[in-house]
RNA sequence: GGGCGGUUAGCUCAGCUGGUUAGAGCGCCUGCCUUACAAGCAGGAAGUCGGGGGUUCGAGUCCCUCACUGCCCACCA
């Protein structure tokens, strides 16, 4: 570790090294406690990426935010545990391997279930979890020793247990209902996995002849092919148009079947023709209707959405081919009454975008209402807090209109449902372990259910299954559950609010309620929740606010961008733009700006190391004992030292506040302004003059100590945001032997508001003075190198600040005066009048324009203030701080206005 | 059909429970290679806070309304 740093910061040179170090040193490993932790515990779960996943910007945002929060908690003395893992991602992973097989000209059926699953495991071993390797590169401070996979033996046992318990509690049932069927994936999918798209479609009107008389009932449909499965036509009982056909039979066109006309108030009279075909096997409403009227459903399609034998002559045709043929045939028979354009919303499979077929199918469901009730209560009672708050509304909205959850999937990759069908009596035995015999008839010929569970079933259990939950009741307790459950925070995107967040809440509240508390007492809903807070982050879009998508080709690869700008810069960019509830328009320019910030920090370190070297040569040795810990300052220290210490303390305090509300952008801005604005632009410039190594004294030594200790604290402040850069410099600062193995294990600087208000006020006036003189010089066209004398009235510069004021404002000499010399180029503020002595004439026109503008602004403000201060309601109702503030400002204005006017007058009459 | 957001400087966005003079980055203009940093330093210009109405002592902030815009949810064929 050298203090001999190159001029420009090169992140690639150091990041890999530290990423590796953090992992190999197991810095963030948090073992299972043997006794309950005596410090605050901060637990969080990484939303498990799919094993098939590649890191995208959304992951990086999520991890940056989680990492900032976790590192911050850890540095503030919490026992911080962040658990990583991956999800087996049923459909997604199965598709990857199927595609691989396809390349070999095979299907999964060709290789068979067992061999296929073996193949998926092989795939997982080779390619899976690449995303976690990418994560390591980002410096995420997770506990790698706890990395899980949702198909691990332990987590699978938890899944089985959870399933069986729900079944025993009567909350899981199996039955034939309309489900969303993806003909390509050949599985049922849940409501959430269907994405609806508005599409321009058609509404066909078809005539169903009345049996035994002339005439028709005309029905309207968007899916004519399903008519082959019609079992009735329904009309509203009060619809006068159809009173005469109640109870009559209709001939179903293209078939030889006859179907009844039924009446049901559900039918809406003003849609289409007011008569609706009833197809219970292919439509959810029709299914309900069919049940009410005891109609036998007829399924006319197979698993691939081709027409089946029940479709007669159309058997074997794809559903859309069949649609076309049926419409043609109807037209030919003059049974097509009309075709209209119709916009309808069409459901597609979330995975493969195939149009979903609502289809009658036997599946497993969770009776969700009892779970949802608890989940609603948990949020209503405030046991779980959402940030931004508005997501609680979305959550309630969904939870209150919830439908039973179809949890079975006709896939091979996943947790196989622990149910066994008896070959003899058809009874289903649900059990934790493979049963020897049918629990009903005792026969031993059993066949395990072939369906697997929805991926989200297992991920919904994670907040407790990762901590060893393998069953309910008192025996469920584990040291990890005692110590780490409930977790504190979940950070995730709104896209999985229902898929995952809502399910975790439902399952957590359900399963953890009967697990006793660490002290053995009964757990209540408050502590059954899987997490206390949910932070929902925004979407990362491209610089033009477009959603990133492969088809648009505007996907920003985080690894690529990290390679170009450095991880710290990208992390900082994401943090600085992560305002809760607002999408992030990720731009490279912005990232470039924060790379510059990293470079700034780097160079500040270089400067500091140079000073330390010069000091050493002059015989001043500063050791870690002098600068580790919180920066301390004595009352007699020079202003800039007292000021910068006050600044860092209040920055730390504000940072704590912002981070506790997940206002990452405010936190990032605070630290940016502190480091660049306060520390570099002002403090370092001043310290250059303070450090006189020519004739070293105790004050030089004291100034140097403050410099180093503030810098050291600033590194700690920055480290949750920029872990690599700060780690590197921190180690260098300690000459390779830091007090902790990592800055991540050091203490976060203690915050304090108003640490030294006096110093801050004094400094502000000096900054104002220097700024005013700089502006004045510029307006007068004085070259930068030329030092000029300055007249100053109504203010005197503190003796020990004189030298830096002169240097920073390029003043050769400060001449205190009672009033400024007539005709001098001057400026006035509330605190002082200042003028520079310089022969060159001011640009009168420009100066006049500036003064007029300023005067107008002042006068307007003054009249507003005056009016307010004369207002009794204002004086009575406004808080005293506001009134006082306005009075002070009015006082300033009453001083500034005459001065500005005088300055304007001194320019002479306008030409 | 229901619900939730957004509209602030040329651009991208902050502005937290209403409170003194609305901020930042980038861009732009001017001047500087001042031995930490040109990925830098100093200075500057630039906003009727989408339109209209209301509440209030006080509104970018709260309410109503209009316009434009984005997202989520949904079993009307």
């Amino acid at each position: 570790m050298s203090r001999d740093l190159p001029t420009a910061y090169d992140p690639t040179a150091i990041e890999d090294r530290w990423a590796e170090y953090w992992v190999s040193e197991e810095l963030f490993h948090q073992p299972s406690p043997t006794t309950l932790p005596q410090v605050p515990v901060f637990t969080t779960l990484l939303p498990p990426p799919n094993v098939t996943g590649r890191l995208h910007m959304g992951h990086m945002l999520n991890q940056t935010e989680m990492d900032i929060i976790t590192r911050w908690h850890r540095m503030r003395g919490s026992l911080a545990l962040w658990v990583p893992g991956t999800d087996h991602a049923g459909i997604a992973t199965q598709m990857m391997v199927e595609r691989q097989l396809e390349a070999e000209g095979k299907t999964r059926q060709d290789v068979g279930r067992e061999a296929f699953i073996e193949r998926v495991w092989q795939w997982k071993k080779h390619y899976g979890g690449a995303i976690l390797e990418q994560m390591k590169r980002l410096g995420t401070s997770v506990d790698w020793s706890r990395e899980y996979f949702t198909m691990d033996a332990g987590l699978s046992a938890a899944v089985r247990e959870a399933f069986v318990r729900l079944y025993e509690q009567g909350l899981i049932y199996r039955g034939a209902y309309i489900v969303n069927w993806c003909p390509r994936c050949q599985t049922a999918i849940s409501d959430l996995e269907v994405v609806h798209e508005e599409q321009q479609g058609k509404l066909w009107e078809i005539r169903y002849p009345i049996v035994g008389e002339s005439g028709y009932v005309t029905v309207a449909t968007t899916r004519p092919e399903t008519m082959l499965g019609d079992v009735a036509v329904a009309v509203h009982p009060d619809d006068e148009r159809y009173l005469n056909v109640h109870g009559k039979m209709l001939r179903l066109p293209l078939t030889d079947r006859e179907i009844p006309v039924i009446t049901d108030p559900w039918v809406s009279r003003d849609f289409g023709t007011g008569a609706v075909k009833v197809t219970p096997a292919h439509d959810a409403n029709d299914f309900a209707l069919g049940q009410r009227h005891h109609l036998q459903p007829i399924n006319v399609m197979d698993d691939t959405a081709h027409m089946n034998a029940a479709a007669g002559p159309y058997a074997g045709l794809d559903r859309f081919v069949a649609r076309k043929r049926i419409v043609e045939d109807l037209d030919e028979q003059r049974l097509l009454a009309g075709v209209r354009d119709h916009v309808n919303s069409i459901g597609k499979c979330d995975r493969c975008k195939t149009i979903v077929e609502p289809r009658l199918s036997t599946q497993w469901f969770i009776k969700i209402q009892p779970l949802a009730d608890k989940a609603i209560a948990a949020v209503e009672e405030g046991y779980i807090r959402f940030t931004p708050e508005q997501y609680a509304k979305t959550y309630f909205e969904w939870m209150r209109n919830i439908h039973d959850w179809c949890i079975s999937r006709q896939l091979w990759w996943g947790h196989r449902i622990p149910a066994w069908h008896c070959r003899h009596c058809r009874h289903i035995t649900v059990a934790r372990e493979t049963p020897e015999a049918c629990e009903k008839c005792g026969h031993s010929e059993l066949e395990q259910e072939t369906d697997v569970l929805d991926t989200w079933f297992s991920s919904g259990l994670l907040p407790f299954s990762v901590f060893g939950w393998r069953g309910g009741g008192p025996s469920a307790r584990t040291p990890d559950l005692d110590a780490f459950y409930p977790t504190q925070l979940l950070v995730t995107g709104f896209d999985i609010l229902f898929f995952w967040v809502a399910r975790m809440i439902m399952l957590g509240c359900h399963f953890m309620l009967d697990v006793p508390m660490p002290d053995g007492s009964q757990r209540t809903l408050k502590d059954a929740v899987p997490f206390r807070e949910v932070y929902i982050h925004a979407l990362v879009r491209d610089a033009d606010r477009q959603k990133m998508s492969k088809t648009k080709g505007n996907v920003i690869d985080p690894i690529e961008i990290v390679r170009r700008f450095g991880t710290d810069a990208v992390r900082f960019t994401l943090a600085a733009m992560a305002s809760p509830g607002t999408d992030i328009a990720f731009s490279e320019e912005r990232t470039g700006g924060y790379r510059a910030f990293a470079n700034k920090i780097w160079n500040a370190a270089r400067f500091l190391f140079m000073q330390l070297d010069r000091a050493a040569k002059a015989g001043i040795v500063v050791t870690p004992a002098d600068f580790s810990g919180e920066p301390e300052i004595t009352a007699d220290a020079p202003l800039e030292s007292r000021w910068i210490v006050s600044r860092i303390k209040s920055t730390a305090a504000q940072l704590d506040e912002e981070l506790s509300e997940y206002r990452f952008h405010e936190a990032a801005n605070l630290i940016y302004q502190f480091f660049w604005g306060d520390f570099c632009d002002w403090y370092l410039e001043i310290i250059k003059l303070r450090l006189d190594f020519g004739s070293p004294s105790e004050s030089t030594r004291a100034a140097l100590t403050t410099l180093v200790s503030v810098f050291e604290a600033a590194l700690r402040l920055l480290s949750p945001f920029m872990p690599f850069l700060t780690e590197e410099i921190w180690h260098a600062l300690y000459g390779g032997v830091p007090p902790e193995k990592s800055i991540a294990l050091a203490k976060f600087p203690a915050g304090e508001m108003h640490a030294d208000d006096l110093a801050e006020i004094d400094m502000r006036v000096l900054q104002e003075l220097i700024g005013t003189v700089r502006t004045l010089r510029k307006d007068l066209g004085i070259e930068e190198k030329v030092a000029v004398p300055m007249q100053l009235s109504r203010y005197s510069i503190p003796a020990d600040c004189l030298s830096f004021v002169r240097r920073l404002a390029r003043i050769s000499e400060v001449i205190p005066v009672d009033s400024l010399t007539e005709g001098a180029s001057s400026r006035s503020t509330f605190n002082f009048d200042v003028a520079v002595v310089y022969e060159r004439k001011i640009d009168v026109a420009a100066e006049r324009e500036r003064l007029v503008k300023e005067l107008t602004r002042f006068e307007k403000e003054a009249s507003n203030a005056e009016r307010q201060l004369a207002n009794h309601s204002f004086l009575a109702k406004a808080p005293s701080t506001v009134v006082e503030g306005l009075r002070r400002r009015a006082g300033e204005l009453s001083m500034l206005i005459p001065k500005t006017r005088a300055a304007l007058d001194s320019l002479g009459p306008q030409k």
Side-chain angles (χ1 to χ4, degrees):
Chain A
M1 205 78 35
S2 167
R3 285 179 174 183
D4 198 8
L5 305 172
T7 314
Y9 172 54
D10 178 13
T12 52
I14 67 164
E15 289 184 355
D16 285 333
R17 179 155 43 84
W18 288 119
E20 226 166 86
Y21 176 82
W22 294 330
V23 175
S24 66
E25 293 292 312
E26 298 189 312
L27 279 183
F28 308 116
H29 176 43
Q30 185 52 62
S32 298
T34 47
T35 55
L36 276 185
Q38 297 303 302
V39 295
V41 174
F42 178 82
T43 319
T44 188
L45 244 55
L46 176 80
N50 291 355
V51 270
T52 57
R54 308 289 303 179
L55 195 81
H56 58 63
M57 231 40 199
H59 292 125
M60 184 153 182
L61 171 67
N62 183 269
Q63 291 176 24
T64 297
E65 291 175 339
M66 288 188 74
D67 200 42
I68 288 169
I69 294 288
T70 307
R71 283 174 181 266
W72 171 62
H73 277 290
R74 187 181 291 118
M75 291 180 77
R76 290 175 88 216
S78 286
L79 189 159
L81 171 61
W82 183 4
V83 184
T86 45
D87 193 288
H88 67 280
I91 300 186
T93 312
Q94 176 159 329
M95 274 170 70
M96 296 295 275
V97 178
E98 279 181 310
R99 219 172 285 154
Q100 217 182 39
L101 280 175
E102 204 181 306
E104 300 165 21
K106 287 190 254 177
T107 67
R108 71 173 204 252
Q109 285 79 8
D110 292 340
V111 299
R113 183 164 187 148
E114 254 176 63
F116 180 79
I117 290 171
E118 182 49 37
R119 184 124 184 187
V120 181
W121 278 107
Q122 289 303 322
W123 185 93
K124 190 243 168 196
K125 220 168 128 191
H126 276 283
Y127 307 102
I131 193 163
L132 294 185
E133 291 308 310
Q134 293 175 309
M135 266 182 72
K136 286 178 185 163
R137 186 59 191 68
L138 299 181
T140 50
S141 63
V142 301
D143 182 350
W144 290 108
S145 75
R146 289 175 178 271
E147 182 186 330
Y148 64 82
F149 178 55
T150 49
M151 291 269 281
D152 286 345
L155 294 187
S156 297
V159 165
R160 230 168 16 250
E161 174 69 27
F163 184 93
V164 175
R165 290 179 79 83
L166 286 170
Y167 184 80
E168 288 169 349
Q169 292 159 354
L171 294 173
I172 282 183
Y173 63 93
R174 182 172 185 264
Y177 296 91
I178 294 288
V179 295
N180 306 293
W181 184 269
C182 174
R184 201 221 60 88
C185 302
Q186 292 183 44
T187 178
I189 54 180
S190 76
D191 293 346
L192 282 177
E193 289 161 279
V194 180
V195 289
H196 293 270
E197 267 174 43
E198 291 266 293
Q199 200 162 294
Q200 184 61 247
K202 298 218 183 303
L203 189 64
W204 285 273
E205 289 174 1
I206 306 170
R207 296 185 180 122
Y208 286 20
I210 302 168
V211 175
E213 49 188 278
S214 64
Y216 310 92
V217 171
T218 304
V219 303
T221 179
T222 54
R223 295 189 297 152
E225 69 280 9
T226 64
M227 67 170 288
L228 301 172
D230 285 1
V231 296
V233 166
V235 296
H236 193 278
D238 304 332
D239 193 335
E240 293 179 1
R241 291 171 294 180
Y242 297 111
L243 289 175
N244 61 327
V245 295
H246 286 190
K248 289 188 178 162
M249 296 301 282
L250 304 175
R251 188 176 63 74
L252 184 62
L254 312 178
T255 71
D256 49 11
R257 282 169 42 218
E258 292 183 359
I259 57 175
V261 174
I262 61 172
T263 62
D264 196 288
W266 169 80
V267 179
S268 98
R269 279 172 277 188
D270 40 3
F271 187 90
T273 60
V276 56
K277 57 195 271 312
V278 181
T279 324
H282 291 277
D283 183 277
N285 286 312
D286 293 8
F287 179 75
L289 204 56
Q291 283 205 315
R292 280 202 292 280
H293 297 266
H294 310 290
L295 300 164
Q296 267 310 311
I298 300 172
N299 192 336
V300 293
M301 289 182 207
D302 64 16
D303 289 355
T304 61
H306 285 69
M307 309 310 284
N308 66 18
Y314 302 96
L317 294 180
D318 172 80
R319 55 187 162 161
F320 299 116
V321 176
R323 174 180 298 178
K324 194 160 168 273
R325 286 269 291 277
I326 284 169
V327 169
E328 285 166 3
D329 291 349
L330 288 169
D331 196 23
E332 205 168 291
Q333 296 182 24
R334 307 203 170 281
L335 292 174
L336 195 61
V339 189
R340 264 188 280 156
D341 283 337
H342 180 69
V343 177
N344 63 340
S345 121
I346 190 148
K348 293 186 175 177
C349 173
D350 194 22
R351 272 290 141 208
C352 67
K353 310 303 172 206
T354 304
I355 294 176
V356 162
E357 190 66 35
R359 180 167 183 256
L360 186 62
S361 171
T362 300
Q363 303 288 343
W364 296 81
F365 297 86
I366 290 184
K367 201 166 149 189
I368 209 76
Q369 200 59 54
L371 303 191
D373 289 343
K374 275 182 239 163
I376 290 168
V379 177
E380 273 178 348
E381 297 296 324
Y383 302 147
I384 298 173
R385 189 172 75 104
F386 281 87
T387 304
E389 278 171 30
Q390 77 226 28
Y391 283 105
K393 278 190 214 165
T394 313
Y395 169 87
F396 284 133
E397 191 70 17
W398 185 77
M399 214 41 115
R400 287 175 180 143
N401 297 296
I402 200 163
H403 297 287
D404 282 358
W405 176 14
C406 174
I407 49 170
S408 48
R409 297 290 180 276
Q410 288 63 53
L411 303 171
W412 287 355
W413 177 240
H415 298 102
R416 198 157 167 182
I417 289 178
W420 285 263
H421 300 260
C422 175
R423 287 249 173 92
H424 279 256
C425 70
R426 311 307 307 160
H427 177 76
I428 295 172
T429 304
V430 168
R432 290 167 177 82
E433 303 299 336
T434 308
E436 296 290 317
C438 171
E439 63 183 359
K440 193 174 175 193
C441 74
H443 219 282
S444 62
E445 269 188 78
L446 298 175
E447 210 172 337
Q448 189 175 359
E449 169 67 61
T450 52
D451 290 357
V452 300
L453 287 165
D454 181 1
T455 284
W456 298 101
F457 186 86
S458 56
S459 39
L461 308 173
L462 287 172
F464 45 97
S465 63
V466 294
F467 295 127
W469 180 92
R470 300 292 178 264
S475 63
R477 278 178 59 193
T478 66
D480 278 353
L481 273 180
D482 279 354
F484 301 124
Y485 194 93
T487 67
Q488 302 302 301
L489 174 68
L490 180 77
V491 179
T492 191
F494 63 83
D495 50 332
I496 52 175
L497 179 60
F498 307 136
F499 276 116
W500 193 45
V501 181
R503 265 84 176 256
M504 279 191 288
I505 296 176
M506 290 191 286
L507 294 169
C509 290
H510 182 74
F511 283 115
M512 284 303 290
L513 206 50
D514 69 355
V515 177
M517 296 291 285
D519 64 5
S521 64
Q522 168 74 43
R523 192 179 292 264
T524 61
L525 192 57
K526 177 172 174 283
D527 298 301
V529 298
F531 28 75
R532 306 221 177 271
E533 303 207 18
V534 181
Y535 175 73
I536 305 280
H537 66 237
L539 210 63
V540 184
R541 296 166 176 275
D542 74 3
D544 300 322
R545 304 214 114 263
Q546 296 294 305
K547 234 182 198 168
M548 293 186 196
S549 77
K550 279 181 200 149
T551 45
K552 273 188 222 153
N554 62 344
V555 175
I556 301 169
D557 175 10
I559 296 299
E560 146 81 10
I561 210 93
V562 155
R563 199 175 50 69
R564 286 171 47 211
F565 293 93
T567 309
D568 287 330
V570 182
R571 284 174 60 118
F572 206 88
T573 306
L574 290 169
M577 301 187 81
S579 170
T582 310
D583 284 349
I584 293 174
F586 188 88
S587 80
E588 289 194 10
E589 287 89 71
R590 194 77 186 255
T591 313
Y594 292 117
R595 175 178 55 186
F597 182 48
N599 193 52
K600 190 77 182 173
I601 299 165
W602 181 258
N603 276 290
R606 288 184 62 226
F607 170 77
L608 191 119
F609 292 150
M610 281 179 196
Q611 303 310 314
L612 286 174
D613 284 348
R614 290 175 62 198
K617 282 179 192 137
I620 302 175
V621 179
V622 176
T623 65
D626 297 319
F627 61 76
S628 61
E630 300 306 322
E632 292 299 339
I633 202 74
T634 52
D636 61 348
L639 177 61
E640 78 279 359
S641 292
R642 287 181 286 126
W643 173 73
I644 197 68
V645 169
S646 181
R647 289 298 308 136
I648 196 168
K649 285 184 175 170
S650 70
T651 303
Q654 286 179 69
L655 215 51
D656 282 339
E657 227 170 82
E658 304 299 357
L659 286 180
S660 65
E661 297 293 327
Y662 311 109
R663 290 193 289 260
F664 297 96
H665 66 299
E666 297 283 9
N669 284 333
L670 270 170
I671 203 162
Y672 180 93
Q673 295 304 339
F674 166 76
F675 196 88
W676 201 317
D678 293 338
F679 187 78
C680 291
D681 288 347
W682 288 101
Y683 177 69
L684 287 188
E685 291 307 315
I686 294 170
I687 210 77
K688 283 176 183 172
L689 298 154
R690 197 64 79 189
L691 297 176
D692 178 6
F693 296 114
S695 50
S697 64
E698 199 41 47
S699 69
T700 302
R701 191 194 152 75
L704 187 65
T705 304
T706 303
L707 166 66
V708 183
S709 68
V710 170
F711 182 74
E712 196 271 352
L715 288 177
R716 285 183 278 127
L717 210 57
L718 278 159
S719 73
F721 298 84
M722 303 186 129
F724 292 98
L725 174 61
T726 51
E727 186 83 296
E728 174 76 10
I729 299 171
W730 196 68
H731 281 254
L733 183 61
Y734 281 100
V737 280
E740 301 283 349
K741 282 167 94 174
S742 164
I743 193 170
L745 304 180
K747 286 261 166 297
F748 197 69
E752 184 186 346
M753 295 300 276
H754 311 295
D756 191 342
D757 281 345
L758 224 59
E760 299 221 11
I761 290 166
D762 286 350
M763 188 66 193
R764 207 170 301 139
V765 177
L766 289 172
Q767 287 174 319
E768 186 185 24
L769 177 63
I770 291 163
T772 306
V773 175
R774 281 170 170 172
T775 308
L776 189 53
R777 292 176 52 110
K778 188 87 171 178
D779 286 352
L780 292 170
I782 303 174
E783 280 176 46
E784 294 214 11
K785 280 178 194 151
V786 179
V788 291
M790 170 182 100
Q791 290 185 342
L792 185 62
S793 145
R794 288 197 291 117
Y795 177 69
S796 71
I797 299 167
D800 79 329
C801 298
L802 198 56
S803 65
F804 77 71
V805 172
R806 282 177 49 192
R807 169 67 182 272
L808 297 184
R810 298 273 176 196
I811 293 303
S812 58
E813 161 187 27
V814 178
I815 308 161
V817 293
D818 287 334
S819 63
L820 299 181
T821 311
E822 192 67 26
S825 301
S826 66
R827 291 287 147 91
S828 292
T829 76
F830 180 65
N831 296 300
F832 51 77
D833 300 314
V834 66
V836 296
V837 183
Y838 189 67
E839 81 259 31
R840 256 173 78 176
K841 267 293 168 212
I842 201 158
D843 178 341
V844 176
E847 181 69 359
R848 189 194 311 279
E849 191 187 337
R850 188 185 68 79
L851 285 168
V852 166
K853 202 165 158 188
E854 196 168 71
L855 187 60
T856 313
R857 192 164 59 84
F858 284 159
E859 282 174 339
K860 189 177 161 205
E861 199 191 331
S863 80
N864 281 345
E866 204 177 318
R867 203 183 55 237
Q868 282 279 72
L869 288 170
N871 187 319
H872 294 295
S873 301
F874 172 72
L875 296 176
K877 291 179 186 172
S880 60
T881 51
V882 174
V883 177
E884 275 164 34
L886 195 60
R887 282 222 175 91
R888 194 164 53 242
R889 181 61 184 165
E892 282 183 29
L893 289 165
S894 66
M895 162 168 276
L896 287 171
I897 288 171
K899 283 185 183 296
T900 311
R901 217 173 258 144
L904 198 51
D905 290 346
S906 75
L907 291 177
Q910 194 166 1
K911 280 192 270 185

